């Protein structure tokens, strides 16, 4: 019987691979027999994760230090990958800055009227331009694979809905000092949805599919007041566990989703429904 969820022998590039969700994406690839190629900014962390996956799942995991905002680094890495594996079967565009919601006694950095242009440029360079560059190079190599492959973009529920800035309010602060979710997060995540739709038609004749998932927030040691407020806005009444997106990622990478292309899949506990 054919295992539609198997990734056996498939070479899968994962950007931002050592982060909270990136490491979960890498793990499910390894669990399904795939070859996780881990890209991130810290070689030691890449090596540690690759070693862990090798030992646990007996797969040929490997990590590379690549700054995806620098096209020449992607090109150099692609040359290495091509020589080692010949083909790529999938790309997970996961890397992104997570701009912080910060307050200050003098200026609220995260507010739109104060938001630094340099931070805007950096956030878009990683989350959006970096995804474009990875699709341009790794995606092109996928299109050269006779069997085709898939690109999976990691967007967010905030690519579908506006952030509820009430979640970040702090008692006692005047309006001009209230922290907010920075503008770049929404812009990057919405941009990834646009990139997904573009790529879904671009290499379709080469059997390259492109889909996006829109995860909700992951519980990760947030303060109790924030958790109370955010979970009251989620129909399931809680934030996600960090491993709860593994099944969806596996599905969209595997042959189980062979006719899914250009899909934008929300996985946010129902938050974007309201």
């Amino acid at each position: 019987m054919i295992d539609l969820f198997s990734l056996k022998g498939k070479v899968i590039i994962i950007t931002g691979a050592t982060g909270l969700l990136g490491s979960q994406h890498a793990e499910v690839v390894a669990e399904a027999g795939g070859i996780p190629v881990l890209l991130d900014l810290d070689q030691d962390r890449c090596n540690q994760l690759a070693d862990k996956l090798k030992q646990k799942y007996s797969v040929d995991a490997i990590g590379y230090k690549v700054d995806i905002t620098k096209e020449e680094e992607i090109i150099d890495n692609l040359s290495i990958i091509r020589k080692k594996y010949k083909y790529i079967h999938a790309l997970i565009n996961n890397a992104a800055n997570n701009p912080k919601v910060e307050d200050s006694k003098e200026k609220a950095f995260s507010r739109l009227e104060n938001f630094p242009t340099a931070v805007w440029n950096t956030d878009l360079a990683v989350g959006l331009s970096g995804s474009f560059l990875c699709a341009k190079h790794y995606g092109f190599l996928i299109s050269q694979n006779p069997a085709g492959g898939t690109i999976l973009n990691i967007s967010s529920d905030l690519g579908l809905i506006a952030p509820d800035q009430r979640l970040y309010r702090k008692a006692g602060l005047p309006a001009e000092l209230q922290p907010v979710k920075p503008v770049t997060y929404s812009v990057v995540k919405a941009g990834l949805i646009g990139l997904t739709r573009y790529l879904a038609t671009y290499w379709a004749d080469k059997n390259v599919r492109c889909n996006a998932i829109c995860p909700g927030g992951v519980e990760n040691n947030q303060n109790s007041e924030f958790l109370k407020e955010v979970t009251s806005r989620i129909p399931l009444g809680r934030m996600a566990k960090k491993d709860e997106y593994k099944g969806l990622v596996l599905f969209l990478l595997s042959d189980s989703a062979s006719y899914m292309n250009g899909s934008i899949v929300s996985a946010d506990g129902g938050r974007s429904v309201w």
Side-chain angles (χ1 to χ4, degrees), residues 35 41 49-50 53 70 114 122 147 172 189 199 210 217 219 234 236 239 253 255 266 272:
I35 299 171
L41 293 173
L49 180 57
L53 296 175
K70 297 177 179 177
N114 301 326
T122 300
K189 296 306 185 181
L199 293 172
C210 184
E219 187 170 351
I234 301 171
L236 285 184
M239 298 183 78
L253 291 176
D255 290 341
S266 62
S272 59

Side-chain angles (χ1 to χ4, degrees), residues 231-238 268-274:
T231 55
S232 72
R233 292 159 169 82
I234 301 171
L236 285 184
R238 63 178 179 83
D268 56 13
R271 184 181 176 195
S272 59
V273 175
W274 285 349

